[in-house]
Amino acid sequence: MYIKIIGKGRPVVLIHGWGMSGKIWEEFSKLMISKYKLYIIDLPGMGKSEIIEPYKIDNLIKKIHEEIPEKVTIIGWSLGGQIAMKYYLKYPRAVNYLVCISSTPCFLKKNGWEFGVSNNFFLKFKKDLLNNWQKTLRKFFLLQTQKDEDKENTLKRLENDFMDEQPPTKEGLEKSLEILEKVDIRKDIKNINIPTLIIGGKQDTISDYKASIWMKSKIKESEIFIFDSAGHIPFINYQRECFQLIKKFIKTG
């Protein structure tokens, strides 16, 4: 698994979301490298990381655990937030702080869970991915940026970084989508017993910000900040604000 290591200071692990790579943190990491040693992960089949077998979340977490130090802060965005929470639940002594950005304990809508995407939407997305993954990935980028004030520039950057320069593999997209489909940590989330910062955006069309509020109600040592105008990628559109929130949280938590 490829992990880019930069900076000096306390160890911070950055985990990206579906369809991306560690490159999504490129600008954000520039704010952090003077204070933190960053471990920027490329998930399997994305960026510079090869596919792993089996491509299951438990194996993925095991691979990460083999490569990062103990007593870390983990910042996970979207799917990365789910991985971060599962990592803590598996290795609770290895993590000091969690930061979950635009994340959710359960991506799909289910009985008793209204804060996920509909099964019809997800199944169509999955079918489209098998037929034409490039077109489907572009559609996914559009979903992430459609509510952003600077959506044209953000969309152009995403397409350039993750379609042209560093495209994911089709298998990586399919396997990680299966993780999104299957992961449901609603019952386990009460076992997260470390300081946790939850960041979301009210305009997020992928991860409902109400899922963030629900997470806040279940994680004892949690704090929450919801950006009124942010969509799914607040650490890009509100880069400095996100950094200040995280820096203050790690310092005072």
Side-chain angles (χ1 to χ4, degrees), residues 1 43-46 50-66 79 82-84 86-87 90-91 126 171-184:
M1 182 177 293
L43 294 176
M46 298 174 216
E50 300 292 327
I51 289 289
I52 59 171
E53 293 293 344
Y55 202 132
K56 306 289 185 184
I57 193 163
D58 288 341
N59 192 35
L60 174 55
I61 288 167
K62 179 176 176 288
K63 296 291 185 185
I64 292 173
H65 187 63
E66 291 169 357
L79 169 62
Q82 291 185 324
I83 294 168
K86 289 282 285 185
Y87 185 93
K90 178 73 173 176
Y91 303 107
K126 195 173 182 179
E171 186 179 2
L173 292 174
E174 291 172 8
K175 296 292 187 181
S176 55
L177 195 65
E178 288 177 10
I179 288 178
L180 266 179
E181 184 178 12
K182 292 174 182 176
V183 168
D184 184 349

Side-chain angles (χ1 to χ4, degrees), residues 76-211:
W77 164 62
S78 195
L79 169 62
Q82 291 185 324
I83 294 168
M85 288 186 280
K86 289 282 285 185
Y87 185 93
Y88 168 78
L89 291 167
K90 178 73 173 176
Y91 303 107
R93 294 182 181 179
V95 187
N96 285 343
Y97 302 94
L98 280 176
V99 180
C100 297
I101 304 174
S102 304
S103 196
T104 172
C106 181
F107 189 67
L108 294 183
K109 188 176 289 187
K110 297 180 179 180
N111 287 335
W113 182 250
E114 293 298 313
F115 308 138
V117 301
S118 72
N119 280 279
N120 287 340
F121 171 86
F122 188 84
L123 289 173
K124 184 180 185 305
F125 189 86
K126 195 173 182 179
K127 182 180 178 182
D128 290 346
L129 183 69
L130 295 173
N131 291 333
N132 188 331
W133 70 265
Q134 292 94 340
K135 183 178 178 181
T136 305
L137 193 56
R138 283 195 173 92
K139 190 186 297 183
F140 181 65
F141 294 160
L142 184 60
L143 271 176
Q144 295 188 63
T145 58
Q146 64 182 354
K147 295 287 186 176
D148 291 340
E149 294 175 359
D150 194 25
K151 62 182 179 182
E152 288 187 11
N153 286 331
T154 305
L155 181 61
K156 191 178 294 183
R157 179 192 158 185
L158 292 177
E159 289 184 343
N160 179 64
D161 286 352
F162 305 109
M163 294 297 299
D164 301 328
E165 287 186 16
Q166 208 174 61
T169 65
K170 183 182 178 184
E171 186 179 2
L173 292 174
E174 291 172 8
K175 296 292 187 181
S176 55
L177 195 65
E178 288 177 10
I179 288 178
L180 266 179
E181 184 178 12
K182 292 174 182 176
V183 168
D184 184 349
I185 57 174
R186 288 176 293 160
K187 290 181 180 178
D188 298 323
I189 204 166
K190 65 181 183 297
N191 296 320
I192 295 177
N193 295 313
I194 56 168
T196 301
L197 176 61
I198 301 161
I199 298 173
K202 273 194 178 177
Q203 308 306 316
D204 194 338
T205 58
I206 296 172
S207 294
D208 193 326
Y209 78 95
K210 292 174 186 173

